[in-house]
Amino acid sequence: MTETLDLTDTALNECDREPIHIPQSIQPHGFMLVLDLESLTIRQGAGAIEELTGRKVWIDRTVADVLGDVADRAVRAMAAHQEAGFACRWRATNRLEYDVVVHRAPGAINDLMIIEVEQSSQQARLGVDLIASLDAAGAALERAVTIQTVCERAADAFRRLTGFDRVMIYRFQDDEAGQVVAESRADGSGSFLNHHFPATDIPQQARALYLRNPVRVIPDSRYTPHPLRPIAPGEAPLDMSDSGLRSVSPIHLQYLRNMDVRASASVSIIVDDALWGLVACHNASPKLLPYELRVGCTALARNLARQLKSRSDVDLYRERTRLRRMEDELLSRLSPDRPMREALGEKADALMQLTSADGLAIVSEGDIQTFGHTPPEDGVRAIAAWVAGRPGLRPVSSHHLSSILPAAEAWKTHASGLLAVTLPLDQPVSLLWFRSEVLETVRWAGNPATAEKTGPNAILTPRASFESWSDTVSGRAHRWGPAAVESAARLRDALADYAAVHQIRRLNRSLQDRLSERDLRLEQQQYLIREVNHRVQNSLTLVSSFLGLQAREQAGGSATTALNEARRRVRAVSAVHSRLYLSDQVTTIDMSRYVGDLIDDLGSSMGPDWVAALETDLDPVCIEPGRAITIGLILTELIINAQKYAYGGKPGPLCIRFEEDGAFFRMTVEDEGAGGHLAGKGFGSMMIKSLVGQLDGTIDYRDRAPGLSVVLRARIDPLV
């Protein structure tokens, strides 16, 4: 199908490794001139230069000397602008028209320009005719719906354009072998449609050249090569990669002769910078493919490549969309309350439909579930262990599993194809999709084994016969499409996210249950606290009532006084407690309200005259409950002392102030009585002294003449 080295004395056993871009000879349908780019003088040439130009001496001559002034001007202009391509038409001494094509020699130490003078079509073909035919061919390709239809219409279009007997669209497979997927041929031409060609028919260096030089022609496979001349001893070979006249290998010429092909042309189909395939043109008689038609073939091949990519992208997009819908539906129906492997097992049918698999195995920590057609359990376990040891995150996929896992040969009936992913969970779950073996009869263009070398130094000879040769291929399944492999990877990630989300939801539910339980306990505790406070408050009220009853039963005297004083102290404590448990704020006591309520309560027990004599000035200072009780007891004692000593038990003016003084508070009790009731050694004085000590504060008694002023000063917040 392609070319290799064309050196008459080349050892055929090395042809598949030879640098075929430097054959140092050309085909005879034109001649070549190699120019020094600096001087634009000819330093080498090949072909019938003397016969076609009428110049016996052409070395070191200019283009004008050999091809005339028109060609000289065109070449010089292209050299100045570093352009390549068609320069002009030139008429040879045989009165035939030739195309002058210019390009640079790649990789040359000295800048060289190559001029190829090829025989033209000899027809005054208008450019508009070629453009119109290309436009019609492009429109036909655009109207094709499927890739197969695009290829079939492309074969017809190339045959109309080139006029060759047989045109084949040849597509490369993953194993680098090729298959004729479409064909257009004249009556009487043999068919290679659906035939396969081994990868050895096109060696790697030839594939590389097809990417660089998209059109190669052999007008007559029985030609005699014309060598490049002169070649100085030790001179580096001329790189002819871009040459249209470049000679081809005798092996390839024999290859064509064995196919009864006299003329051939190959046009590269390049999709995404990769060689998708070739347009292979064959003719039973010698046939030129002039430069303008080669340009047309290049343009049509690019259009074909765009249409192939477009159809491929559309097919892939549709398949991806279909699989995404299936993935979403599958995920939406997974049971969130079941372990992942069990939930997936319930959707085994949907999982197999997702990848068009014949069987499915779900493996998790030694537990194996199988569905459909799968290998036996020990086989599934062995394959799962092999998959787990594979590096990378991409899904493991193969349509020929035994080629990478020889042990799988035993299970090829149900496991020739494998697509596998592992879910990265706390307990990893592996999904193994299987496809059964599909026996396939492959029709080869001749026995491909005859094209293989039997050893490193063996001779590679082309197949002598291209008669259809059938081969039954076993151990292979239908290939996994890229959309299916992507879907498996996407499903793996989605299932991992799904498991993570549901784990978070389970944790949230557990946390919510615990919070609800804690709230219930808190509510119960608050109920108990309220009940205890209620009982404490009742007990304090009961004690106060008992003290009041006992005081009334004493009918006056010191016992009555003592009982009443004790009752007031109890009420001072009860007032703080009542404010605490009736208020939502239990951390501090507003002293303005507490002291006000306490004074009202003391006043009511002392009689209405005292109530009228009491005067207050209270700042809203907040103090923690324990210190508030102590302050309330001190205030109670100071009011009792004022009642007893300032006015002899009779009502009199009494002013109580509570003020904030920075980090301190100051409580003042002032009367206008007899004065002189300073701190003594009685129970009340000792109690005040003890309580002031608990506050770590100071108390100051000052005689006001008349009256007495008692000032308590302490920190609002105790020092830690």
Side-chain angles (χ1 to χ4, degrees):
M1 293 293 296
T2 186
E3 63 192 75
T4 52
L5 187 63
D6 184 22
L7 293 176
T8 54
D9 57 348
T10 299
L12 299 183
N13 60 332
E14 295 295 334
C15 72
D16 58 340
R17 295 195 299 271
E18 284 295 332
I20 59 175
H21 59 297
I22 50 173
Q24 308 304 287
S25 62
I26 65 171
Q27 299 180 68
H29 58 283
F31 63 88
M32 175 183 287
L33 301 175
V34 182
L35 274 64
D36 182 287
L37 194 56
E38 184 176 355
S39 62
L40 289 181
T41 56
I42 302 168
R43 57 178 295 179
Q44 285 179 307
I49 302 173
E50 293 82 356
E51 292 84 347
L52 295 176
T53 64
R55 305 287 181 178
K56 300 299 181 183
V57 179
W58 44 271
I59 291 293
D60 293 331
R61 298 303 175 89
T62 64
V63 175
D65 295 336
V66 178
L67 300 180
D69 293 337
V70 174
D72 183 68
R73 285 195 296 272
V75 170
R76 287 181 181 276
M78 296 181 73
H81 295 90
Q82 298 185 350
E83 294 176 345
F86 179 78
C88 63
R89 279 252 169 116
W90 173 77
R91 183 182 293 272
T93 55
N94 60 6
R95 313 302 297 169
L96 294 178
E97 297 283 344
Y98 283 75
D99 294 326
V100 179
V101 181
V102 175
H103 58 88
R104 286 196 173 193
I109 297 176
N110 300 319
D111 281 345
L112 300 176
M113 174 178 278
I114 296 177
I115 298 176
E116 296 186 275
V117 183
E118 299 182 43
Q119 190 173 337
S120 72
S121 61
Q122 309 303 317
Q123 297 177 1
R125 183 167 184 162
L126 297 177
V128 67
D129 293 340
L130 180 59
I131 294 174
S133 64
L134 291 176
D135 182 65
L141 296 182
E142 291 176 1
R143 288 194 296 272
V145 177
T146 65
I147 290 178
Q148 179 61 34
T149 308
V150 169
C151 292
E152 291 171 355
R153 293 188 178 181
D156 291 335
F158 274 100
R159 195 161 78 87
R160 283 194 298 271
L161 180 65
T162 63
F164 276 64
D165 295 334
R166 178 175 56 222
V167 173
M168 300 174 290
I169 305 299
Y170 179 91
R171 181 174 186 176
F172 291 114
Q173 309 293 331
D174 292 343
D175 58 0
E176 297 188 346
Q179 181 184 7
V180 177
V181 296
E183 182 182 71
S184 177
R185 58 190 174 89
D187 294 339
S189 298
S191 174
F192 288 104
L193 183 61
N194 297 324
H195 280 62
H196 292 246
F197 290 80
T200 51
D201 279 11
I202 305 178
Q204 290 300 323
Q205 65 270 37
R207 294 172 194 251
L209 278 181
Y210 276 125
L211 284 172
R212 183 186 182 100
N213 193 349
V215 182
R216 292 288 296 132
V217 295
I218 304 174
D220 188 351
S221 60
R222 299 177 185 174
Y223 77 89
T224 300
H226 289 189
L228 188 69
R229 53 195 166 94
I231 297 178
E235 182 179 0
L238 179 66
D239 190 334
M240 297 183 175
S241 295
D242 300 327
S243 172
L245 292 172
R246 174 166 52 89
S247 191
V248 295
S249 165
I251 295 177
H252 184 61
L253 296 177
Q254 184 62 47
Y255 184 100
L256 294 176
R257 287 193 289 270
N258 291 347
M259 294 181 78
D260 292 330
V261 172
R262 189 71 183 268
S264 77
S266 302
V267 185
S268 305
I269 305 172
I270 300 171
V271 177
D272 290 337
D273 298 325
L275 196 60
W276 184 93
L278 296 173
V279 180
C281 308
H282 291 167
N283 208 65
S285 58
K287 186 173 184 58
L288 280 174
L289 189 64
Y291 182 78
E292 67 263 30
L293 287 184
R294 297 211 304 274
V295 173
C297 287
T298 302
L300 185 56
R302 287 174 178 162
N303 196 342
L304 169 61
R306 285 193 293 271
Q307 297 303 325
L308 290 172
K309 177 172 173 52
S310 173
R311 300 300 185 282
S312 178
D313 288 348
V314 168
D315 291 346
L316 186 59
Y317 173 78
R318 288 175 177 167
E319 182 64 6
R320 282 172 173 165
T321 302
R322 185 183 72 84
L323 293 179
R324 279 184 181 275
R325 283 200 299 269
M326 294 180 68
E327 293 165 25
D328 293 341
E329 185 176 353
L330 190 152
L331 289 170
S332 67
R333 294 184 177 182
L334 280 182
S335 174
D337 301 323
R338 306 288 298 276
M340 179 60 75
R341 60 183 179 81
E342 295 180 9
L344 291 174
E346 293 175 347
K347 302 300 176 187
D349 291 340
L351 285 168
M352 287 192 289
Q353 291 173 7
L354 183 68
T355 59
S356 300
D358 299 312
L360 170 70
I362 302 174
V363 183
S364 176
E365 295 192 331
D367 179 78
I368 296 176
Q369 303 176 77
T370 59
F371 309 89
H373 300 293
T374 66
E377 186 170 311
D378 59 338
V380 171
R381 183 172 285 104
I383 294 172
W386 175 77
V387 169
R390 302 285 293 180
L393 298 176
R394 287 185 55 79
V396 177
S397 66
S398 173
H399 74 289
H400 187 194
L401 181 59
S402 60
S403 66
I404 51 178
L405 178 62
E409 178 71 19
W411 316 303
K412 66 179 182 180
T413 301
H414 296 311
S416 286
L418 171 70
L419 175 61
V421 295
T422 300
L423 309 184
L425 307 178
D426 294 338
Q427 297 179 347
V429 176
S430 295
L431 296 177
L432 311 177
W433 287 276
F434 296 104
R435 280 183 178 172
S436 301
E437 179 186 36
V438 177
L439 294 175
E440 182 182 5
T441 300
V442 178
R443 286 192 297 165
W444 295 93
N447 185 351
T450 60
E452 294 180 354
K453 294 193 303 180
T454 57
N457 297 317
I459 295 175
L460 176 64
T461 56
R463 296 188 295 284
S465 171
F466 286 85
E467 291 296 324
S468 182
W469 188 87
S470 298
D471 183 22
T472 300
V473 178
S474 64
R476 290 174 172 81
H478 291 304
R479 294 176 182 273
W480 305 95
V485 177
E486 291 174 7
S487 180
R490 207 164 40 241
L491 180 68
R492 174 200 59 199
D493 297 340
L495 287 173
D497 294 342
Y498 178 88
V501 168
H502 282 279
Q503 184 176 10
I504 292 174
R505 287 179 178 173
R506 286 195 295 273
L507 292 174
N508 284 339
R509 284 199 295 270
S510 175
L511 181 60
Q512 187 63 42
D513 292 342
R514 292 183 181 180
L515 288 175
S516 299
E517 183 179 356
R518 194 199 67 168
D519 291 343
L520 179 61
R521 289 179 180 175
L522 286 175
E523 186 177 348
Q524 292 174 342
Q525 289 177 353
Q526 289 174 355
Y527 174 79
L528 292 174
I529 290 173
R530 286 196 299 270
E531 186 64 21
V532 169
N533 285 330
H534 180 69
R535 293 178 184 276
V536 169
Q537 186 65 28
N538 287 343
S539 298
L540 291 172
T541 303
L542 189 61
V543 170
S544 175
S545 299
F546 286 160
L547 290 173
L549 287 173
Q550 284 188 310
R552 285 194 294 271
E553 289 177 354
Q554 297 302 318
S558 59
T560 300
T561 302
L563 288 170
N564 283 331
E565 291 176 357
R567 184 187 179 192
R568 291 169 185 164
R569 292 168 186 139
V570 170
R571 295 179 72 140
V573 175
S574 174
V576 173
H577 183 268
S578 175
R579 186 159 300 283
L580 282 174
Y581 94 87
L582 292 178
S583 172
D584 293 335
Q585 176 59 269
V586 297
T587 57
T588 59
I589 295 292
D590 180 357
M591 294 304 291
S592 65
R593 298 182 61 183
Y594 169 57
V595 171
D597 291 346
L598 181 61
I599 291 173
D600 291 343
D601 188 65
L602 290 172
S604 64
S605 67
M606 292 160 62
D609 294 339
W610 271 105
V611 173
L614 293 173
E615 181 183 353
T616 60
D617 182 8
L618 308 174
D619 289 348
V621 181
C622 293
I623 294 180
E624 60 96 7
R627 293 171 72 82
I629 292 175
T630 303
I631 295 169
L633 290 173
I634 294 173
L635 177 60
T636 302
E637 291 304 316
L638 293 177
I639 292 175
I640 291 173
N641 286 345
Q643 182 188 25
K644 290 169 60 176
Y645 303 114
Y647 302 110
K650 296 179 180 178
L654 191 60
C655 179
I656 299 100
R657 291 193 296 275
F658 198 94
E659 303 164 293
E660 183 176 355
D661 182 13
F664 294 80
F665 72 86
R666 184 169 57 245
M667 185 174 71
T668 305
V669 179
E670 292 179 344
D671 65 67
E672 298 177 5
H677 48 284
L678 303 178
K681 296 183 179 178
F683 175 75
S685 296
M686 290 189 294
M687 184 174 173
I688 290 173
K689 183 179 180 180
S690 173
L691 293 172
V692 171
Q694 291 179 17
L695 295 174
D696 196 20
T698 61
I699 190 165
D700 183 26
Y701 294 85
R702 286 180 291 181
D703 196 346
R704 299 175 64 228
L708 183 70
S709 175
V710 184
V711 179
L712 169 67
R713 188 173 184 272
R715 292 185 62 83
I716 295 175
D717 295 321
L719 292 173
V720 178

